[in-house]
Short mmCIF file of all heavy atoms in Angstrom, two decimals:
data_model
loop_
_atom_site.label_atom_id
_atom_site.label_comp_id
_atom_site.label_asym_id
_atom_site.label_seq_id
_atom_site.Cartn_x
_atom_site.Cartn_y
_atom_site.Cartn_z
N MET X 1 40.73 -78.53 -142.40
CA MET X 1 41.26 -79.71 -141.73
C MET X 1 41.87 -80.68 -142.74
O MET X 1 42.79 -81.41 -142.39
CB MET X 1 40.12 -80.36 -140.94
CG MET X 1 40.58 -81.37 -139.95
SD MET X 1 41.42 -80.57 -138.60
CE MET X 1 41.70 -81.92 -137.56
N ASP X 2 41.36 -80.67 -143.96
CA ASP X 2 41.89 -81.57 -144.98
C ASP X 2 43.33 -81.23 -145.35
O ASP X 2 44.12 -82.13 -145.64
CB ASP X 2 41.01 -81.50 -146.24
CG ASP X 2 39.64 -82.12 -146.03
OD1 ASP X 2 39.54 -82.98 -145.13
OD2 ASP X 2 38.70 -81.74 -146.76
N ILE X 3 43.66 -79.95 -145.34
CA ILE X 3 45.03 -79.55 -145.69
C ILE X 3 46.02 -80.05 -144.63
O ILE X 3 47.17 -80.36 -144.96
CB ILE X 3 45.13 -78.02 -145.87
CG1 ILE X 3 46.45 -77.62 -146.50
CG2 ILE X 3 44.96 -77.30 -144.56
CD1 ILE X 3 46.59 -78.04 -147.91
N LEU X 4 45.59 -80.15 -143.40
CA LEU X 4 46.45 -80.66 -142.34
C LEU X 4 46.81 -82.12 -142.60
O LEU X 4 47.97 -82.52 -142.45
CB LEU X 4 45.76 -80.52 -140.98
CG LEU X 4 46.60 -80.88 -139.76
CD1 LEU X 4 47.79 -79.95 -139.67
CD2 LEU X 4 45.77 -80.80 -138.51
N TYR X 5 45.85 -82.92 -143.00
CA TYR X 5 46.12 -84.32 -143.33
C TYR X 5 47.06 -84.43 -144.53
O TYR X 5 47.96 -85.27 -144.55
CB TYR X 5 44.83 -85.07 -143.62
CG TYR X 5 43.91 -85.18 -142.42
CD1 TYR X 5 42.55 -84.91 -142.55
CD2 TYR X 5 44.40 -85.56 -141.18
CE1 TYR X 5 41.71 -85.01 -141.46
CE2 TYR X 5 43.57 -85.67 -140.10
CZ TYR X 5 42.22 -85.39 -140.23
OH TYR X 5 41.39 -85.49 -139.16
N LEU X 6 46.85 -83.57 -145.52
CA LEU X 6 47.71 -83.58 -146.70
C LEU X 6 49.15 -83.21 -146.33
O LEU X 6 50.09 -83.83 -146.80
CB LEU X 6 47.17 -82.61 -147.75
CG LEU X 6 47.99 -82.49 -149.03
CD1 LEU X 6 47.95 -83.81 -149.80
CD2 LEU X 6 47.49 -81.34 -149.87
N MET X 7 49.31 -82.21 -145.48
CA MET X 7 50.65 -81.79 -145.07
C MET X 7 51.34 -82.86 -144.24
O MET X 7 52.55 -83.06 -144.36
CB MET X 7 50.60 -80.47 -144.32
CG MET X 7 50.21 -79.30 -145.21
SD MET X 7 50.17 -77.75 -144.34
CE MET X 7 51.90 -77.51 -144.05
N ILE X 8 50.61 -83.55 -143.40
CA ILE X 8 51.19 -84.63 -142.59
C ILE X 8 51.65 -85.76 -143.50
O ILE X 8 52.76 -86.29 -143.34
CB ILE X 8 50.19 -85.13 -141.53
CG1 ILE X 8 50.01 -84.06 -140.45
CG2 ILE X 8 50.66 -86.44 -140.91
CD1 ILE X 8 48.92 -84.37 -139.46
N ILE X 9 50.82 -86.12 -144.47
CA ILE X 9 51.19 -87.20 -145.40
C ILE X 9 52.42 -86.81 -146.21
O ILE X 9 53.34 -87.62 -146.40
CB ILE X 9 50.00 -87.55 -146.31
CG1 ILE X 9 48.91 -88.21 -145.50
CG2 ILE X 9 50.44 -88.45 -147.45
CD1 ILE X 9 47.61 -88.40 -146.26
N CYS X 10 52.47 -85.57 -146.68
CA CYS X 10 53.62 -85.11 -147.47
C CYS X 10 54.91 -85.10 -146.64
O CYS X 10 55.96 -85.52 -147.11
CB CYS X 10 53.35 -83.72 -148.04
SG CYS X 10 52.14 -83.70 -149.36
N SER X 11 54.83 -84.61 -145.42
CA SER X 11 56.04 -84.53 -144.60
C SER X 11 56.53 -85.91 -144.18
O SER X 11 57.74 -86.16 -144.15
CB SER X 11 55.79 -83.65 -143.38
OG SER X 11 54.82 -84.23 -142.55
N VAL X 12 55.63 -86.82 -143.87
CA VAL X 12 56.03 -88.17 -143.49
C VAL X 12 56.63 -88.89 -144.69
O VAL X 12 57.66 -89.58 -144.56
CB VAL X 12 54.84 -88.95 -142.89
CG1 VAL X 12 55.16 -90.43 -142.75
CG2 VAL X 12 54.46 -88.36 -141.54
N SER X 13 56.03 -88.73 -145.86
CA SER X 13 56.58 -89.40 -147.04
C SER X 13 57.94 -88.81 -147.41
O SER X 13 58.85 -89.55 -147.83
CB SER X 13 55.61 -89.33 -148.21
OG SER X 13 55.36 -87.99 -148.56
N LEU X 14 58.13 -87.51 -147.27
CA LEU X 14 59.43 -86.91 -147.53
C LEU X 14 60.48 -87.40 -146.53
O LEU X 14 61.63 -87.69 -146.91
CB LEU X 14 59.33 -85.38 -147.48
CG LEU X 14 60.55 -84.60 -147.88
CD1 LEU X 14 60.86 -84.82 -149.36
CD2 LEU X 14 60.34 -83.12 -147.62
N ALA X 15 60.10 -87.54 -145.28
CA ALA X 15 61.02 -88.07 -144.27
C ALA X 15 61.40 -89.52 -144.57
O ALA X 15 62.56 -89.91 -144.41
CB ALA X 15 60.40 -87.96 -142.88
N VAL X 16 60.45 -90.31 -145.05
CA VAL X 16 60.73 -91.71 -145.40
C VAL X 16 61.68 -91.76 -146.59
O VAL X 16 62.61 -92.59 -146.62
CB VAL X 16 59.42 -92.47 -145.67
CG1 VAL X 16 59.69 -93.82 -146.32
CG2 VAL X 16 58.63 -92.63 -144.39
N ILE X 17 61.49 -90.88 -147.57
CA ILE X 17 62.38 -90.85 -148.74
C ILE X 17 63.80 -90.51 -148.31
O ILE X 17 64.77 -91.15 -148.74
CB ILE X 17 61.85 -89.85 -149.79
CG1 ILE X 17 60.59 -90.40 -150.43
CG2 ILE X 17 62.91 -89.56 -150.85
CD1 ILE X 17 59.87 -89.41 -151.32
N PHE X 18 63.96 -89.49 -147.44
CA PHE X 18 65.30 -89.14 -146.96
C PHE X 18 65.92 -90.27 -146.14
O PHE X 18 67.13 -90.50 -146.22
CB PHE X 18 65.26 -87.86 -146.13
CG PHE X 18 65.17 -86.61 -146.95
CD1 PHE X 18 64.28 -85.61 -146.60
CD2 PHE X 18 65.96 -86.42 -148.08
CE1 PHE X 18 64.18 -84.45 -147.35
CE2 PHE X 18 65.87 -85.27 -148.83
CZ PHE X 18 64.98 -84.29 -148.47
N LEU X 19 65.12 -90.97 -145.37
CA LEU X 19 65.64 -92.10 -144.59
C LEU X 19 66.11 -93.22 -145.51
O LEU X 19 67.18 -93.80 -145.28
CB LEU X 19 64.56 -92.61 -143.63
CG LEU X 19 64.97 -93.79 -142.76
CD1 LEU X 19 66.06 -93.37 -141.79
CD2 LEU X 19 63.77 -94.34 -142.03
N ILE X 20 65.36 -93.50 -146.56
CA ILE X 20 65.77 -94.54 -147.51
C ILE X 20 67.06 -94.15 -148.21
O ILE X 20 67.97 -94.98 -148.35
CB ILE X 20 64.63 -94.80 -148.52
CG1 ILE X 20 63.46 -95.48 -147.81
CG2 ILE X 20 65.12 -95.64 -149.69
CD1 ILE X 20 62.21 -95.58 -148.66
N ILE X 21 67.17 -92.89 -148.62
CA ILE X 21 68.40 -92.42 -149.27
C ILE X 21 69.58 -92.52 -148.32
O ILE X 21 70.68 -92.93 -148.70
CB ILE X 21 68.21 -90.99 -149.80
CG1 ILE X 21 67.23 -90.99 -150.97
CG2 ILE X 21 69.54 -90.38 -150.23
CD1 ILE X 21 66.83 -89.61 -151.43
N PHE X 22 69.38 -92.16 -147.05
CA PHE X 22 70.45 -92.26 -146.06
C PHE X 22 70.89 -93.71 -145.85
O PHE X 22 72.08 -94.00 -145.80
CB PHE X 22 69.99 -91.66 -144.73
CG PHE X 22 70.98 -91.83 -143.62
CD1 PHE X 22 72.11 -91.05 -143.56
CD2 PHE X 22 70.79 -92.81 -142.65
CE1 PHE X 22 73.04 -91.21 -142.55
CE2 PHE X 22 71.71 -92.98 -141.64
CZ PHE X 22 72.83 -92.18 -141.59
N ILE X 23 69.94 -94.62 -145.76
CA ILE X 23 70.28 -96.03 -145.54
C ILE X 23 71.03 -96.60 -146.74
O ILE X 23 72.02 -97.32 -146.57
CB ILE X 23 69.00 -96.84 -145.23
CG1 ILE X 23 68.47 -96.45 -143.85
CG2 ILE X 23 69.27 -98.33 -145.29
CD1 ILE X 23 67.12 -97.04 -143.52
N ILE X 24 70.60 -96.24 -147.95
CA ILE X 24 71.29 -96.73 -149.15
C ILE X 24 72.73 -96.21 -149.17
O ILE X 24 73.67 -96.97 -149.44
CB ILE X 24 70.52 -96.29 -150.41
CG1 ILE X 24 69.22 -97.08 -150.52
CG2 ILE X 24 71.37 -96.50 -151.66
CD1 ILE X 24 68.29 -96.58 -151.61
N ASN X 25 72.93 -94.93 -148.88
CA ASN X 25 74.29 -94.37 -148.90
C ASN X 25 75.14 -94.92 -147.75
O ASN X 25 76.36 -95.06 -147.91
CB ASN X 25 74.23 -92.85 -148.83
CG ASN X 25 73.81 -92.25 -150.15
OD1 ASN X 25 74.06 -92.82 -151.20
ND2 ASN X 25 73.15 -91.12 -150.10
N ALA X 26 74.55 -95.20 -146.62
CA ALA X 26 75.31 -95.79 -145.51
C ALA X 26 75.77 -97.20 -145.86
O ALA X 26 76.89 -97.59 -145.51
CB ALA X 26 74.46 -95.80 -144.25
N LYS X 27 74.94 -97.94 -146.57
CA LYS X 27 75.34 -99.30 -146.97
C LYS X 27 76.42 -99.28 -148.05
O LYS X 27 77.23 -100.19 -148.13
CB LYS X 27 74.13 -100.07 -147.48
CG LYS X 27 73.21 -100.53 -146.37
CD LYS X 27 72.08 -101.38 -146.90
CE LYS X 27 71.20 -101.85 -145.75
NZ LYS X 27 70.10 -102.69 -146.23
N LYS X 28 76.43 -98.23 -148.88
CA LYS X 28 77.45 -98.11 -149.93
C LYS X 28 78.78 -97.63 -149.36
O LYS X 28 79.78 -97.65 -150.05
CB LYS X 28 76.99 -97.12 -151.01
CG LYS X 28 75.93 -97.68 -151.91
CD LYS X 28 75.60 -96.68 -153.00
CE LYS X 28 74.56 -97.21 -153.94
NZ LYS X 28 74.24 -96.22 -154.99
N GLY X 29 78.82 -97.16 -148.12
CA GLY X 29 80.06 -96.73 -147.50
C GLY X 29 80.35 -95.26 -147.68
O GLY X 29 81.50 -94.83 -147.57
N GLN X 30 79.33 -94.46 -147.91
CA GLN X 30 79.51 -93.03 -148.13
C GLN X 30 80.07 -92.34 -146.88
O GLN X 30 80.82 -91.38 -146.98
CB GLN X 30 78.17 -92.41 -148.51
CG GLN X 30 78.20 -90.93 -148.77
CD GLN X 30 78.85 -90.58 -150.08
OE1 GLN X 30 78.85 -91.38 -150.99
NE2 GLN X 30 79.40 -89.40 -150.17
N PHE X 31 79.73 -92.81 -145.70
CA PHE X 31 80.09 -92.14 -144.46
C PHE X 31 81.22 -92.85 -143.71
O PHE X 31 81.42 -92.63 -142.53
CB PHE X 31 78.86 -92.04 -143.57
CG PHE X 31 77.69 -91.42 -144.25
CD1 PHE X 31 76.57 -92.18 -144.57
CD2 PHE X 31 77.70 -90.09 -144.60
CE1 PHE X 31 75.48 -91.61 -145.21
CE2 PHE X 31 76.62 -89.50 -145.24
CZ PHE X 31 75.51 -90.27 -145.54
N GLU X 32 81.97 -93.69 -144.39
CA GLU X 32 83.02 -94.46 -143.73
C GLU X 32 84.24 -93.63 -143.39
O GLU X 32 84.79 -93.74 -142.32
CB GLU X 32 83.44 -95.64 -144.62
CG GLU X 32 82.38 -96.71 -144.75
CD GLU X 32 82.10 -97.43 -143.45
OE1 GLU X 32 83.04 -97.68 -142.70
OE2 GLU X 32 80.92 -97.72 -143.20
N ASP X 33 84.71 -92.81 -144.31
CA ASP X 33 85.95 -92.07 -144.11
C ASP X 33 85.63 -90.64 -143.69
O ASP X 33 85.44 -89.77 -144.50
CB ASP X 33 86.76 -92.07 -145.41
CG ASP X 33 88.14 -91.49 -145.23
OD1 ASP X 33 88.60 -91.40 -144.09
OD2 ASP X 33 88.75 -91.14 -146.24
N ASP X 34 85.59 -90.41 -142.39
CA ASP X 34 85.26 -89.08 -141.91
C ASP X 34 86.48 -88.32 -141.39
O ASP X 34 86.37 -87.18 -140.99
CB ASP X 34 84.19 -89.13 -140.83
CG ASP X 34 84.61 -89.98 -139.65
OD1 ASP X 34 85.61 -90.68 -139.75
OD2 ASP X 34 83.90 -89.94 -138.61
N GLU X 35 87.65 -88.93 -141.40
CA GLU X 35 88.84 -88.27 -140.88
C GLU X 35 89.68 -87.61 -141.97
O GLU X 35 90.18 -86.50 -141.77
CB GLU X 35 89.71 -89.26 -140.11
CG GLU X 35 91.01 -88.66 -139.65
CD GLU X 35 91.26 -88.90 -138.20
OE1 GLU X 35 90.44 -89.53 -137.52
OE2 GLU X 35 92.30 -88.45 -137.75
N SER X 36 89.85 -88.24 -143.11
CA SER X 36 90.79 -87.70 -144.10
C SER X 36 90.38 -86.35 -144.69
O SER X 36 91.25 -85.54 -144.96
CB SER X 36 91.05 -88.72 -145.20
OG SER X 36 89.92 -88.92 -145.98
N PRO X 37 89.10 -86.04 -144.92
CA PRO X 37 88.80 -84.70 -145.43
C PRO X 37 89.19 -83.60 -144.44
O PRO X 37 89.55 -82.50 -144.85
CB PRO X 37 87.30 -84.71 -145.65
CG PRO X 37 86.95 -86.13 -145.84
CD PRO X 37 87.92 -86.89 -144.98
N ALA X 38 89.14 -83.90 -143.15
CA ALA X 38 89.48 -82.88 -142.16
C ALA X 38 90.98 -82.62 -142.08
O ALA X 38 91.40 -81.50 -141.77
CB ALA X 38 88.96 -83.30 -140.79
N VAL X 39 91.80 -83.62 -142.36
CA VAL X 39 93.25 -83.43 -142.25
C VAL X 39 93.93 -83.30 -143.60
O VAL X 39 95.14 -83.16 -143.68
CB VAL X 39 93.90 -84.59 -141.45
CG1 VAL X 39 93.41 -84.61 -140.03
CG2 VAL X 39 93.69 -85.91 -142.12
N ARG X 40 93.16 -83.34 -144.69
CA ARG X 40 93.74 -83.25 -146.02
C ARG X 40 94.45 -81.93 -146.24
O ARG X 40 95.48 -81.86 -146.90
CB ARG X 40 92.66 -83.44 -147.08
CG ARG X 40 93.19 -83.52 -148.48
CD ARG X 40 92.09 -83.76 -149.48
NE ARG X 40 91.40 -85.00 -149.15
CZ ARG X 40 90.11 -85.19 -149.38
NH1 ARG X 40 89.38 -84.25 -149.92
NH2 ARG X 40 89.56 -86.35 -149.07
N ILE X 41 93.94 -80.86 -145.66
CA ILE X 41 94.55 -79.55 -145.85
C ILE X 41 95.93 -79.47 -145.18
O ILE X 41 96.78 -78.69 -145.60
CB ILE X 41 93.62 -78.44 -145.32
CG1 ILE X 41 94.08 -77.09 -145.81
CG2 ILE X 41 93.53 -78.48 -143.81
CD1 ILE X 41 93.09 -75.99 -145.59
N LEU X 42 96.18 -80.31 -144.19
CA LEU X 42 97.47 -80.28 -143.51
C LEU X 42 98.58 -80.87 -144.36
O LEU X 42 99.76 -80.61 -144.11
CB LEU X 42 97.38 -81.06 -142.20
CG LEU X 42 96.37 -80.53 -141.19
CD1 LEU X 42 96.29 -81.46 -140.00
CD2 LEU X 42 96.72 -79.13 -140.76
N PHE X 43 98.24 -81.66 -145.37
CA PHE X 43 99.24 -82.31 -146.19
C PHE X 43 99.47 -81.62 -147.53
O PHE X 43 100.11 -82.18 -148.41
CB PHE X 43 98.85 -83.77 -146.43
CG PHE X 43 98.76 -84.56 -145.16
CD1 PHE X 43 97.56 -85.09 -144.73
CD2 PHE X 43 99.88 -84.75 -144.37
CE1 PHE X 43 97.47 -85.80 -143.56
CE2 PHE X 43 99.81 -85.46 -143.19
CZ PHE X 43 98.60 -85.99 -142.78
N ASP X 44 98.93 -80.42 -147.72
CA ASP X 44 99.16 -79.69 -148.96
C ASP X 44 100.62 -79.30 -149.07
O ASP X 44 101.27 -78.95 -148.08
CB ASP X 44 98.31 -78.43 -149.03
CG ASP X 44 96.87 -78.74 -149.34
OD1 ASP X 44 96.62 -79.86 -149.80
OD2 ASP X 44 96.02 -77.86 -149.15
N ASP X 45 101.17 -79.36 -150.28
CA ASP X 45 102.56 -78.99 -150.50
C ASP X 45 102.70 -77.47 -150.49
O ASP X 45 101.88 -76.75 -151.04
CB ASP X 45 103.05 -79.52 -151.85
CG ASP X 45 103.13 -81.03 -151.85
OD1 ASP X 45 103.28 -81.60 -150.76
OD2 ASP X 45 103.06 -81.62 -152.94
N GLU X 46 103.76 -77.02 -149.85
CA GLU X 46 104.03 -75.59 -149.84
C GLU X 46 104.90 -75.24 -151.04
O GLU X 46 105.77 -76.00 -151.43
CB GLU X 46 104.74 -75.19 -148.55
CG GLU X 46 103.87 -75.34 -147.32
CD GLU X 46 104.59 -74.87 -146.07
OE1 GLU X 46 105.66 -74.25 -146.20
OE2 GLU X 46 104.08 -75.14 -144.99
N ILE X 47 104.69 -74.07 -151.59
CA ILE X 47 105.49 -73.60 -152.71
C ILE X 47 106.78 -73.01 -152.16
O ILE X 47 106.76 -72.13 -151.31
CB ILE X 47 104.71 -72.55 -153.53
CG1 ILE X 47 103.45 -73.18 -154.08
CG2 ILE X 47 105.57 -72.01 -154.65
CD1 ILE X 47 102.54 -72.19 -154.77
N THR X 48 107.91 -73.51 -152.65
CA THR X 48 109.18 -73.06 -152.11
C THR X 48 109.95 -72.17 -153.07
O THR X 48 110.74 -71.35 -152.65
CB THR X 48 110.07 -74.27 -151.74
OG1 THR X 48 110.22 -75.09 -152.89
CG2 THR X 48 109.41 -75.08 -150.63
N ASN X 49 109.75 -72.32 -154.36
CA ASN X 49 110.49 -71.53 -155.33
C ASN X 49 109.72 -70.27 -155.70
O ASN X 49 108.50 -70.26 -155.74
CB ASN X 49 110.74 -72.34 -156.62
CG ASN X 49 111.62 -73.54 -156.34
OD1 ASN X 49 112.41 -73.53 -155.39
ND2 ASN X 49 111.48 -74.57 -157.14
N ASP X 50 110.46 -69.20 -156.00
CA ASP X 50 109.82 -67.96 -156.42
C ASP X 50 109.19 -68.10 -157.79
O ASP X 50 108.23 -67.41 -158.12
CB ASP X 50 110.84 -66.81 -156.45
CG ASP X 50 111.17 -66.32 -155.04
OD1 ASP X 50 110.35 -66.53 -154.13
OD2 ASP X 50 112.23 -65.71 -154.88
N GLU X 51 109.72 -68.97 -158.64
CA GLU X 51 109.19 -69.13 -159.99
C GLU X 51 107.81 -69.77 -159.98
O GLU X 51 107.02 -69.55 -160.89
CB GLU X 51 110.12 -69.98 -160.86
CG GLU X 51 111.45 -69.33 -161.16
CD GLU X 51 112.58 -70.13 -160.57
OE1 GLU X 51 112.41 -71.31 -160.29
OE2 GLU X 51 113.64 -69.53 -160.40
N GLU X 52 107.50 -70.54 -158.96
CA GLU X 52 106.22 -71.23 -158.93
C GLU X 52 105.11 -70.37 -158.36
O GLU X 52 103.94 -70.71 -158.46
CB GLU X 52 106.35 -72.51 -158.11
CG GLU X 52 107.27 -73.53 -158.73
CD GLU X 52 107.42 -74.77 -157.87
OE1 GLU X 52 106.71 -74.87 -156.85
OE2 GLU X 52 108.24 -75.62 -158.21
N LYS X 53 105.42 -69.24 -157.75
CA LYS X 53 104.40 -68.36 -157.18
C LYS X 53 103.71 -67.59 -158.28
O LYS X 53 104.31 -67.25 -159.29
CB LYS X 53 105.03 -67.38 -156.19
CG LYS X 53 105.51 -68.02 -154.91
CD LYS X 53 106.01 -66.97 -153.98
CE LYS X 53 106.53 -67.60 -152.70
NZ LYS X 53 107.04 -66.58 -151.78
N PRO X 54 102.44 -67.27 -158.10
CA PRO X 54 101.76 -66.42 -159.07
C PRO X 54 102.38 -65.02 -159.09
O PRO X 54 103.04 -64.60 -158.14
CB PRO X 54 100.33 -66.36 -158.56
CG PRO X 54 100.18 -67.53 -157.66
CD PRO X 54 101.54 -67.81 -157.10
N GLU X 55 102.14 -64.29 -160.15
CA GLU X 55 102.76 -62.98 -160.34
C GLU X 55 102.40 -61.99 -159.23
O GLU X 55 103.22 -61.20 -158.81
CB GLU X 55 102.36 -62.40 -161.70
CG GLU X 55 102.97 -63.13 -162.87
CD GLU X 55 104.49 -63.01 -162.90
OE1 GLU X 55 105.01 -61.94 -162.54
OE2 GLU X 55 105.14 -63.98 -163.29
N ASN X 56 101.16 -62.05 -158.75
CA ASN X 56 100.75 -61.06 -157.75
C ASN X 56 101.30 -61.36 -156.36
O ASN X 56 101.24 -60.53 -155.48
CB ASN X 56 99.23 -60.95 -157.70
CG ASN X 56 98.58 -62.27 -157.38
OD1 ASN X 56 99.24 -63.29 -157.23
ND2 ASN X 56 97.26 -62.26 -157.30
N GLN X 57 101.89 -62.55 -156.13
CA GLN X 57 102.43 -62.89 -154.83
C GLN X 57 103.94 -62.79 -154.78
O GLN X 57 104.53 -62.94 -153.72
CB GLN X 57 102.00 -64.30 -154.42
CG GLN X 57 100.53 -64.42 -154.11
CD GLN X 57 100.19 -65.80 -153.65
OE1 GLN X 57 101.02 -66.70 -153.67
NE2 GLN X 57 98.95 -66.01 -153.24
N LYS X 58 104.60 -62.55 -155.90
CA LYS X 58 106.06 -62.44 -155.89
C LYS X 58 106.49 -61.15 -155.21
O LYS X 58 105.88 -60.10 -155.37
CB LYS X 58 106.61 -62.45 -157.32
CG LYS X 58 106.59 -63.80 -157.97
CD LYS X 58 107.27 -63.73 -159.31
CE LYS X 58 107.27 -65.10 -159.96
NZ LYS X 58 107.88 -65.05 -161.28
N GLU X 59 107.50 -61.27 -154.40
CA GLU X 59 108.04 -60.07 -153.75
C GLU X 59 108.98 -59.36 -154.70
O GLU X 59 109.82 -59.97 -155.35
CB GLU X 59 108.79 -60.48 -152.46
CG GLU X 59 107.90 -61.11 -151.43
CD GLU X 59 108.71 -61.53 -150.22
OE1 GLU X 59 109.90 -61.13 -150.13
OE2 GLU X 59 108.18 -62.24 -149.37
N GLU X 60 108.81 -58.05 -154.76
CA GLU X 60 109.69 -57.27 -155.63
C GLU X 60 111.00 -56.99 -154.90
O GLU X 60 111.01 -56.57 -153.76
CB GLU X 60 109.01 -55.96 -156.01
CG GLU X 60 107.79 -56.16 -156.89
CD GLU X 60 107.19 -54.82 -157.27
OE1 GLU X 60 107.88 -53.80 -157.17
OE2 GLU X 60 106.02 -54.82 -157.66
N LYS X 61 112.10 -57.25 -155.58
CA LYS X 61 113.41 -57.00 -155.00
C LYS X 61 113.98 -55.73 -155.60
O LYS X 61 114.06 -55.57 -156.81
CB LYS X 61 114.35 -58.18 -155.28
CG LYS X 61 113.89 -59.45 -154.62
CD LYS X 61 114.83 -60.59 -154.94
CE LYS X 61 114.31 -61.87 -154.30
NZ LYS X 61 115.13 -63.00 -154.63
N LYS X 62 114.37 -54.81 -154.75
CA LYS X 62 114.90 -53.53 -155.23
C LYS X 62 116.33 -53.36 -154.80
O LYS X 62 116.79 -53.81 -153.84
CB LYS X 62 114.07 -52.36 -154.71
CG LYS X 62 112.69 -52.37 -155.31
CD LYS X 62 111.94 -51.17 -154.83
CE LYS X 62 110.55 -51.17 -155.44
NZ LYS X 62 109.80 -50.03 -155.02
#
């Protein structure tokens, strides 16, 4: 029965630590910008010249 009390104390203290870390990061603004990482891939530049492509992606002209 003693191990049950120990496990409850450990799990509650770990949950409190995670809650404190979450609150600190929320106050610092860690979770403010949730849109730009999702659309950042849409704004990547496309390679247009054959010289800029890696060697294994160049099409061979015969």
Side-chain angles (χ1 to χ4, degrees):
M1 194 70 174
D2 290 335
I3 192 69
L4 186 63
Y5 295 134
L6 179 66
M7 291 181 70
I8 290 173
I9 291 171
C10 288
S11 64
V12 168
S13 61
L14 187 65
V16 168
I17 289 171
F18 282 135
L19 180 66
I20 291 171
I21 291 172
F22 175 77
I23 290 172
I24 289 171
N25 285 331
K27 285 184 179 180
K28 286 184 179 179
Q30 180 74 26
F31 307 110
E32 291 294 321
D33 188 18
D34 58 349
E35 175 130 0
S36 68
V39 296
R40 187 177 302 147
I41 194 168
L42 299 175
F43 298 116
D44 284 344
D45 292 335
E46 293 183 11
I47 299 174
T48 56
N49 296 334
D50 284 337
E51 292 117 21
E52 295 178 6
K53 290 184 181 179
E55 290 296 324
N56 58 358
Q57 291 183 354
K58 285 185 179 178
E59 296 178 11
E60 293 182 19
K61 296 179 182 177
K62 293 183 180 181

